[in-house]
């Protein structure tokens, strides 16, 4: 299924892909001089010396024992697994005091009590050795990554690096490297000291395990089950695709290079017509069958509370698509003119309900061909012409090759699938949020927006409002000005009703029954 996704101030997309193959032999790379590596190295558990990444010898021996299975490592329980984690951390100079209280009991509780005996044997005999083998290969995986990203996108253009606010750019990772990095998170190996608000979130799993309790929230156990299922899957059959994480920034000042961050004046004078808007009272954004960017507009920090106590829309998405978590390693807090687009993420689990139960399963990943084709052609075009990343998409759009034109046409036809973002813990008004997203999608020239209400009672008149607005042929500017007028009246206490009731004529019956069902 072709999917796209947005987070915080983020619009993100993902495709499962198999675009490239790693070389059999790795050419010499001067790792010490790489700015991208040096920016992310403080957040990684590896060491760099003589242009080579490596594990300390004690860590290397411990990982070899884990990779040999429980007959050698003696790791057959959650308690012993956590002891091994502490030994690894100690060899890396990481203090056990930096982990959340009750992390040890959480590992023991889940793997020794919550997990069945059969599942436990699979975990300790297959998954743990598989993850250890991935960690042993992490230095070479990273070196191969930098070599390949330089080859495909130009030196330093798409390598793993820290990406701070207002720093547009791309990070291009293969799924095996992502699996190795997430294995570090399961073993709580990422350094956490000397971090400030500008740094990305900590992605060790200690807080998640520490939150487990026999009488606690069932959702926390299910979040861990999704992650465990991911590791079992990748150890059984490693995915061979690639994932891109792109930080996008709309300039606040006008420039000659394209669209800028819109001001109130831009919105109020916009003559852009409103795009098609379809309301879905049932169904889930991540299950939508259309060619659409799936939006996650929630937390300024990528992932929100996914690795803590959160378990609503954004956190659930990061559990059923765990590869999203790796973006938390290098993407700093977003500002209001930024977005993060993610392409290539595979879905590994499903869920039932929003806050209670998740279940795991194998899912069909076959409907990615159109976006995959565009992505491959975009990469090929950039490599062959040597154009900059800012020029890449406009140049591809102008390509005279009929195949490239068809691919870009399909990209232009990609709409938006979204829902009630910002209306939970952030306390947003569902009526206002739905209209704002319609305005944004229209101004961005997206062909359609599919809005999933999740049965929200406050949006029972959304279809009626949609029809009323389209009947009048309003532009983005018209609808924006109505929203501003309503907001002014609310602030000055001239009205106390919701936007929908304020907008619609009092005598108009609310009997529209054309809401789409998925």
């Amino acid at each position: 299924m072709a999917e796209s996704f947005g987070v915080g101030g983020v619009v993100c997309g993902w495709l499962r892909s198999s675009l490239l193959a790693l070389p059999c032999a790795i050419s010499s790379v001067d790792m010490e001089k790489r700015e991208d590596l040096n920016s992310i190295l403080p957040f990684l558990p590896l060491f760099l010396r003589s242009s080579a990444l490596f594990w300390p010898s004690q860590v290397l021996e411990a990982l070899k024992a884990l990779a040999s299975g429980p007959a050698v490592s003696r790791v057959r329980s959650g308690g012993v697994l956590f002891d091994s984690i502490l030994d690894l951390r100690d060899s890396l100079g990481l203090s056990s005091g930096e982990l959340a209280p009750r992390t040890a009991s959480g590992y023991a509780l889940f793997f020794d009590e919550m997990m069945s005996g059969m599942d436990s044997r699979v975990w300790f005999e297959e998954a743990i050795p598989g993850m250890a083998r991935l960690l042993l290969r992490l230095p070479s995986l990273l070196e191969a990554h930098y070599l390949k990203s330089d080859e495909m996108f130009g030196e330093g253009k798409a390598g793993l690096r820290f990406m701070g606010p207002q720093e547009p750019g791309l990070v291009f990772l293969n799924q095996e490297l992502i699996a190795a990095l997430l294995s570090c998170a399961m073993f709580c190996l990422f350094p956490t000291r000397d971090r400030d608000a500008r740094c990305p979130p900590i992605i060790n799993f200690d807080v998640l395990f520490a939150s487990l309790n026999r009488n606690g929230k069932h959702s926390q156990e299910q979040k861990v089950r999704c992650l465990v299922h991911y590791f079992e899957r990748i150890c059984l059959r490693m995915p061979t695709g690639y994932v891109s994480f792109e930080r996008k920034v709309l300039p606040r000042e006008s420039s000659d290079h394209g669209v800028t961050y819109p001001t109130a004046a831009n919105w109020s004078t916009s003559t852009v017509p409103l795009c098609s808007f379809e309301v879905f009272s049932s169904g889930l954004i991540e299950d939508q069958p259309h060619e659409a960017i799936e939006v996650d507009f929630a937390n300024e920090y990528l992932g929100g509370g996914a690795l803590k106590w959160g378990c609503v829309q954004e956190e659930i998405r990061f559990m059923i698509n765990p590869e999203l978590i790796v973006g938390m390693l290098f993407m700093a807090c977003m500002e209001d003119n930024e977005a993060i687009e993610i392409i290539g993420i595979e879905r590994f689990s499903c869920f039932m309900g929003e806050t209670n139960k998740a279940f795991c399963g194998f899912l069909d990943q076959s409907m990615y061909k159109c976006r995959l084709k565009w992505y491959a052609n975009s990469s090929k075009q950039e490599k062959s012409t040597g154009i900059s990343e800012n020029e890449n998409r406009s140049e591809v759009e102008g390509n005279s090759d009929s195949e490239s034109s068809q691919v870009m046409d399909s990209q232009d036809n990609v709409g938006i699938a979204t829902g009630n973002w910002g209306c939970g813990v952030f306390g947003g008004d569902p009526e206002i949020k739905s209209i704002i997203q319609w305005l944004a999608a229209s101004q961005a020239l997206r062909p359609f927006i599919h809005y999933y209400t999740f049965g929200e009672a406050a949006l029972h008149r959304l279809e009626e409002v949609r029809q009323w607005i389209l009947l009048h042929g309003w532009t983005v500017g018209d609808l924006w000005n109505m929203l501003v007028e309503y907001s002014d009246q609310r602030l000055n206490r001239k009205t106390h009703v919701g936007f929908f009731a304020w907008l619609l004529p009092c005598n108009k019956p609310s009997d529209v029954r054309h809401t789409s069902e998925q």
Side-chain angles (χ1 to χ4, degrees), residues 119-192:
D119 289 342
S120 180
R121 283 192 295 275
V122 171
W123 176 255
F124 290 110
E125 293 177 7
E126 298 178 16
I128 290 294
M131 293 161 66
R133 287 190 290 271
L134 273 174
L135 291 179
L136 285 169
R137 296 185 60 228
L138 179 57
S140 62
L141 287 172
L142 273 170
E143 291 179 2
H145 153 72
Y146 285 112
L147 185 67
K148 179 56 67 174
S149 64
D150 285 355
E151 178 186 330
M152 289 300 302
F153 298 95
E155 186 174 348
K157 294 288 187 180
L160 178 62
R161 64 196 183 280
F162 173 75
M163 301 190 73
Q166 307 301 312
E167 296 179 11
L170 176 77
V171 170
F172 190 71
L173 307 173
N174 68 47
Q175 288 181 283
E176 186 175 18
L177 176 55
I178 290 174
L181 292 169
L182 291 180
S183 296
C184 288
M186 173 60 81
F187 288 164
C188 301
L189 299 182
F190 289 110
T192 59

Side-chain angles (χ1 to χ4, degrees), residues 290-344:
H290 309 282
E291 192 70 19
I293 294 174
E294 297 175 358
V295 173
D296 168 358
F297 186 78
N299 200 299
E300 60 187 347
Y301 285 95
L302 189 65
L307 298 181
K308 296 182 179 178
W309 297 272
C311 194
V312 287
Q313 289 182 93
E314 181 169 12
E315 290 84 4
I316 291 173
R317 199 61 194 265
F318 274 63
M319 295 300 106
I320 65 176
N321 298 83
E323 291 164 324
L324 288 168
I325 295 170
V326 80
M328 299 167 66
L329 173 65
F330 53 87
M331 288 289 187
C333 173
M334 287 172 287
E335 297 181 1
D336 56 9
N337 65 326
E338 295 185 293
I340 299 172
E341 183 179 53
I342 304 170
I343 300 177

Side-chain angles (χ1 to χ4, degrees), residues 151-153 378-387 392:
E151 178 186 330
M152 289 300 302
F153 298 95
S378 295
S379 301
K380 187 185 300 181
Q381 178 76 6
E382 182 171 82
K383 182 181 177 183
S384 63
T385 62
I387 58 180
N392 184 40

